[in-house]
Amino acid sequence: MGLDRETDEDHSRGNDPGDDRESGHAAGREDGPAAEGAPARRDRAVLAAVAQGLLSEERAVIALLDVAGIRASAAALRSAFAEVTAPGTAVLHAFAVKATPLVPVLRLLYDEGIGAEVASPGELALAAAAGVRAEHTVLDSPAKTTAELRQALALGVAVNADNPQELGRLDALVGSPGPGPRSPLGLRVNPQVGGGSIGALSTATATSKFGVALRDEGSRSWVVRACLDRPWLTRLHTHTGSQGVPLELMARGVRETYELAEEINAAAGRQQIDTIDIGGGLPVNFTSDDETPTYAAYARLLRDTVPGLLDGRYGVVTEFGRSLLAKHGTVLARVEYAKSAGGRPIAVTHAGAQLATRTVYDPASWPLRIAAYDAGGHPRTGPVVAQDVAGPACFAGDLLAENRSLPLLGQGDLVAALDTGAYYFSNHYAYNSLARPGIYGFLPSPGDGGGIRFATVRTPQTVEEIVAESGGAHADALRADRDELPEGH
Ligand SMILES: *Cc1c(COP(=O)(O)O)cnc(C)c1O
């Protein structure tokens, strides 16, 4: 089956941005580090980041990753599927690299039995740099070039074709006689089951750009024929949406894909489709520290909705992104100035559109919880006041939170943007040439009662790097008196 990674042997365990959102701080912190939950770990990490000088005049914004939390989410994913699949079922969980494209994170996840889903040469290189083997890597992009397909096949990476033209390219690369390709090859289908609450993330609408639209006239029979004509096509792939798509809709998309696989296998008279890639998309709760919905709930819903998928006849690939990382990231920024306008207090911080791009441009879809700390890194107390938390960028909409009730922030205080572990470290934005912040993982420090150790995951971008990526080497390129073409033009 090719999915030989032992991801299923471990049966151990299983939005509205209103003013009533949680403070983001641990209610009580009487327990020791072993028993503490994510909010208490986060509060201790903020305190330690200040004490250890991680936040400074030069580094007025940083990002933190909770290593214990990431490990726990990976374990929860594996055990959830282990509980609902028949013994011996090959399951590959492939992390959607676009959610958190950081090599140390990919390696941490790989240690926890999670492979990689990649959608570009860059993401493929990140997975390789993290040591993720080809057989634990899946390539799915809607616009793969022939060169990218050739490279994936040479490596043995699984590929899901998006459309008939891409299948045509695979035909040419696979060739007719001889043994089939090493790469497991699949076709992405769009069951057109409908969208969720965020249009830009709804991938199974009638007119979605992804996959072969199954309900279009003649489409389903075309897919069946396309598979029968290609004995090497052994997988179907679907990803019915991300944040905002209800679990029931996701499960229905998986069921439609499973039913298509059954139809193809019946027509082929053999188990030609041997693996179904169900995509990712588990939504994340951005309104409190509760990790809901859980992987266990989704896995049980799949068992009830599509029992045949999990009875051992099919291998299963998953591609969760946001749900593995979101809750484990915290952006921490200093309040540079506290001011007021029109009666509204405004905390001007160093975290804005350059790293919370979606939140700033579409705050209704992507609200973030904000936790307030004092300059020493202790949870800020004091009367709660509606205020704006602004970013550093030069446009009026650069707000992390608008009219949010928080203890009144003062100059030198800290704000934490919570649940930022997924997509916030990939959706950076070069507005105002603001630097990408450093990212640091935090772990318990062995030996020193309850201490915290920080590990650099990504160094802060330097001003020199900004100049270099902004054409610094080509300063003269546009001058009229140049008569030669520059090298490497
Ligand atoms: C984005 C994406 C995912 C991951 O989605 P999440 O909402 O982050 O879980 C999985 N598969 C495909 C094909 C995607 O495009």
Side-chain angles (χ1 to χ4, degrees), residues 169-263:
R169 286 185 173 175
L170 285 178
D171 285 339
L173 290 170
V174 168
S176 27
R182 265 198 308 146
S183 294
L185 299 175
L187 180 65
R188 179 166 182 170
V189 295
N190 171 10
Q192 292 167 297
V193 290
S197 62
I198 303 177
L201 271 64
S202 295
T203 46
T205 57
T207 57
S208 161
K209 74 172 180 179
F210 294 107
V212 177
L214 274 188
R215 293 184 187 179
D216 284 8
E217 174 103 41
S219 194
R220 193 179 180 93
S221 54
W222 180 87
V223 170
V224 175
R225 187 74 254 159
C227 290
L228 296 180
D229 289 345
R230 295 170 179 81
W232 42 263
L233 207 50
T234 57
R235 294 183 170 192
L236 290 181
H237 172 222
T238 190
H239 169 68
T240 45
S242 290
Q243 190 71 18
V245 176
L247 294 194
E248 291 70 23
L249 197 64
M250 289 167 51
R252 210 179 324 142
V254 174
R255 189 182 66 206
E256 303 237 349
T257 307
Y258 162 79
E259 284 165 357
L260 176 63
E262 291 282 279
E263 185 179 332

Side-chain angles (χ1 to χ4, degrees), residues 215-403:
R215 293 184 187 179
D216 284 8
E217 174 103 41
S219 194
R220 193 179 180 93
S221 54
W222 180 87
V223 170
V224 175
R225 187 74 254 159
C227 290
L228 296 180
D229 289 345
R230 295 170 179 81
W232 42 263
L233 207 50
T234 57
R235 294 183 170 192
L236 290 181
H237 172 222
T238 190
H239 169 68
T240 45
S242 290
Q243 190 71 18
V245 176
L247 294 194
E248 291 70 23
L249 197 64
M250 289 167 51
R252 210 179 324 142
V254 174
R255 189 182 66 206
E256 303 237 349
T257 307
Y258 162 79
E259 284 165 357
L260 176 63
E262 291 282 279
E263 185 179 332
I264 292 165
N265 289 341
R270 67 186 182 98
Q271 177 99 20
Q272 176 174 339
I273 303 297
D274 62 18
T275 299
I276 298 182
D277 181 336
I278 66 169
L282 193 75
V284 165
N285 170 16
F286 285 101
T287 63
S288 81
D289 278 304
D290 294 338
E291 294 195 39
T292 53
T294 60
Y295 289 120
Y298 183 47
R300 276 186 243 115
L301 179 66
L302 286 174
R303 182 192 57 200
D304 296 343
T305 314
V306 212
L309 171 67
L310 308 171
D311 66 11
R313 290 175 300 137
Y314 288 93
V316 176
V317 177
T318 76
E319 303 171 343
F320 295 100
R322 178 177 287 105
S323 54
L324 276 165
L325 259 296
K327 302 302 276 185
H328 312 309
T330 300
V331 169
L332 192 60
R334 198 171 65 184
V335 176
E336 198 64 46
Y337 299 105
K339 57 193 282 189
S340 157
R344 171 85 52 89
I346 304 166
V348 179
T349 81
H350 290 274
Q354 87 275 28
L355 50 90
T357 316
R358 279 180 173 166
T359 297
V360 166
Y361 283 106
D362 184 5
S365 296
W366 301 106
L368 282 175
R369 290 187 297 149
I370 303 291
Y373 296 89
D374 65 20
H378 296 94
R380 165 118 318 300
T381 51
V384 166
V385 177
Q387 54 200 302
D388 288 355
V389 179
C394 297
F395 68 102
D398 186 32
L399 302 174
L400 269 190
E402 193 171 3
N403 208 13

